[in-house]
Amino acid sequence: MHGLFVKIVSFLLSIFSMLALQARNPTFPNPYKKVDMSKFTETFSDEFDGDIDYTVWGDHHAAEGKSTVRRGSYWNKNIAYTENSNLVIPVRYLEDGMGGTGAGWYTAGLDTSGREEGSTGFSQKFGYFETRCILPKGADLWSAFWLMNNDVGNIDGSGQDGTEVDIMESAFYGRKPFNNVVYCNLHYDGYGEEHRGKQVCWAYVKGNPYEEFNTYGVEWNENEYIFYINGMEYARSDFGGVCQNPLYMILSVEMSGADGVTSGRDNSANPDLETEFLVDYVKVYQYNDLL
């Protein structure tokens, strides 16, 4: 009887999730659909117990040691650091700038592409990818944990060669009733006129994700992507045909605006607006039958 009850509740939650997405309303992760870790073996783990391992993590969209414009702020990996076994990606206003650029708001995007000299990086096809983190407090910015490869830019009408998989994005701090909402997206065929994208789902995170740790993950196989919060499923999709090539990981914080000028906050030093993205770990697992 309990098993039947679980199946009925799980089915109703799935229907509710589909209707909520169509109405652009957030839903909740399904406690009756949990990721099955018994079918995986760990292939990557960074718990940030020491300094940032730059043989794995490099600048995303930036040259070694240089800063690059990323919408309303600048990215530079050297602003990130580790503390108390956490990776810290801060959002800071720097009067003197960093990496050859001037005054402005600075944060970082770190990836495992391995494109920087001396970096091996990390990429994998299929498996389960997860991070445990506290989201950065602050309006007009968002944090993300996502997957990417160079073939995302190929224009061929398919995401099978490369898809941007946004496992978690957070952009609604202070925007009630969406303050606790995160979402997942899929993108392929570049970012121009041929771009194809889908917002797969919005989901509520229990408690306060800006002060409490939560896990965000995706199970990716040849047939679909399945998105999880704290091990509970909240969305799945096969949009684009599902990527069949290895993808690398990205952790990032971005600010609204353009050309290094923010659009939603003071473009001057203000300690009250400084914040940080706190990452406890990043782990990757592979299906046992693919090892």
Side-chain angles (χ1 to χ4, degrees), residues 67-97:
S67 297
T68 186
V69 171
R70 183 67 176 186
R71 297 190 170 90
S73 62
Y74 298 94
W75 270 357
N76 190 309
K77 72 176 183 183
N78 293 323
I79 199 171
Y81 59 95
T82 56
E83 184 177 70
N84 299 324
S85 295
N86 293 303
L87 170 67
V88 183
I89 302 180
V91 179
R92 302 282 186 267
Y93 189 91
L94 302 180
E95 292 277 11
D96 297 326

Side-chain angles (χ1 to χ4, degrees), residues 31-272:
Y32 298 107
K33 289 186 176 181
K34 296 183 178 181
V35 60
D36 178 8
M37 297 305 298
S38 69
K39 59 187 177 184
F40 297 109
T41 296
E42 186 178 284
T43 53
F44 175 92
S45 177
D46 196 337
E47 301 186 33
F48 305 107
D49 291 326
D51 294 336
I52 297 174
D53 185 353
Y54 288 120
T55 67
V56 175
W57 298 99
D59 260 318
H60 189 60
H61 287 316
E64 180 69 35
K66 302 294 184 180
S67 297
T68 186
V69 171
R70 183 67 176 186
R71 297 190 170 90
S73 62
Y74 298 94
W75 270 357
N76 190 309
K77 72 176 183 183
N78 293 323
I79 199 171
Y81 59 95
T82 56
E83 184 177 70
N84 299 324
S85 295
N86 293 303
L87 170 67
V88 183
I89 302 180
V91 179
R92 302 282 186 267
Y93 189 91
L94 302 180
E95 292 277 11
D96 297 326
M98 172 184 278
T101 49
W105 285 94
Y106 285 76
T107 183
L110 303 179
D111 74 33
T112 63
S113 66
R115 66 180 179 81
E116 292 187 346
E117 184 177 354
S119 173
T120 58
F122 177 87
S123 62
Q124 181 173 295
K125 182 175 76 170
F126 305 149
Y128 181 66
F129 300 71
E130 181 182 83
T131 190
R132 183 174 185 263
C133 59
I134 296 177
L135 308 180
K137 299 178 181 179
D140 303 298
L141 60 84
W142 65 97
S143 56
F145 176 48
W146 40 310
L147 308 180
M148 173 73 79
N149 72 11
N150 294 335
D151 293 327
V152 172
N154 290 346
I155 311 299
D156 59 5
S158 168
Q160 292 187 335
D161 51 350
T163 294
E164 176 188 323
V165 182
D166 299 324
I167 301 170
M168 178 281 296
E169 289 192 89
S170 167
F172 298 121
Y173 178 80
R175 299 182 183 180
K176 296 181 179 180
F178 302 122
N179 187 59
N180 283 30
V181 170
V182 298
Y183 52 92
C184 53
N185 295 319
L186 298 169
H187 303 272
Y188 64 92
D189 276 2
Y191 300 96
E193 293 182 358
E194 303 297 327
H195 165 262
R196 300 186 183 186
K198 180 176 182 178
Q199 188 163 83
V200 179
C201 191
W202 293 10
Y204 283 112
V205 184
K206 287 186 177 180
N208 187 340
Y210 303 97
E211 295 183 355
E212 301 166 355
F213 282 105
N214 292 276
T215 65
Y216 305 91
V218 66
E219 180 179 348
W220 162 35
N221 55 53
E222 63 181 358
N223 299 311
E224 63 184 346
Y225 311 99
I226 309 170
F227 298 88
Y228 297 90
I229 295 176
N230 296 322
M232 298 178 290
E233 180 183 329
Y234 76 99
R236 60 175 63 200
S237 177
D238 61 0
F239 179 70
V242 183
C243 182
Q244 305 295 312
N245 289 330
L247 298 170
Y248 59 82
M249 298 177 288
I250 310 169
L251 291 164
S252 62
V253 182
E254 303 183 36
M255 302 177 68
S256 62
D259 300 323
V261 178
T262 65
S263 60
R265 59 173 62 197
D266 293 338
N267 288 286
S268 59
N270 186 340
D272 292 337

